[in-house]
Amino acid sequence: PVGTLARVVSRSALAGAGSRIVLQGLRRVVLGTLESAEGCLWSHAERLEPPQAPPPEEAARMREHLAGLLRSLSEADKTAPRELAGMIALYGDDDERITDLVASLLPLGHGERARCLAEAAPARRMATLIHHLDGALVQAQAGAALDGRVAERLRRKYLRAKLAELKDELGEPSAHELEVERLQERLEGAPLSPAARTVALRELDHLRRAGGS
């Protein structure tokens, strides 16, 4: 298994039986066989040597791609860490520290985090993070677009309701009332028999009352 070799920076007792231990990670290591002795697990560790790094130009393109995705994600998802893109710039071309920092602050799943830890090559870790960010950005943009459409529909519904209230207060005829008036004008000019006119006027009166219910 792959793990992180660390040194203890500080240790303090908490209320009850708990303790708070601050560790400083030093390097990735490959653990040997674990043995239990004296109430602890013991093992030997060998340094995990990264493979040959990609050409500097390719590594620089991957870092810029990663930073761009982080900036886009922070704009599309307000819960994403907005300062992360600026923080990785402080590490220059140290892809080891950049990938570890991003992996520690992004909401990765347990499997994704484990793959990043076990991967010796910083370039492959960065590719894994870029793949995760691509998916997270698509989801965030789709969610933002959906929220925008829902908000626009609610806004239009609210404006229609307020317009109807305003027309009612001002005494303006509604669309239904205007349609009834238009039908009445056509009915008055139509050459109908007295019986047909009586039936038509009765139906028009029903239509008028239906609009007020």
Side-chain angles (χ1 to χ4, degrees), residues 35-42:
E35 299 178 359
S36 179
E38 302 177 7
C40 300
L41 290 174
W42 300 82

Side-chain angles (χ1 to χ4, degrees), residues 159-210:
L159 290 176
R160 284 196 298 269
K162 297 302 291 183
L163 182 60
E165 291 178 9
L166 184 60
K167 285 183 176 181
D168 186 59
E169 290 177 4
L170 296 176
E172 281 191 45
S174 65
H176 178 80
E177 291 171 335
L178 292 173
E179 180 65 15
V180 170
E181 289 180 6
R182 187 180 66 82
L183 290 174
Q184 185 169 357
E185 290 176 359
R186 292 182 60 185
L187 180 59
E188 291 173 352
L192 299 175
S193 66
R197 187 175 300 278
T198 299
V199 173
L201 288 173
R202 184 168 61 245
E203 293 301 321
L204 186 64
D205 188 54
H206 288 329
L207 182 62
R208 182 182 290 107
R209 289 200 300 270

Side-chain angles (χ1 to χ4, degrees), residues 42-58:
W42 300 82
S43 178
H44 68 277
E46 296 180 2
R47 182 167 184 163
L48 183 63
E49 296 294 343
Q52 185 176 1
E57 297 81 5
E58 181 181 345

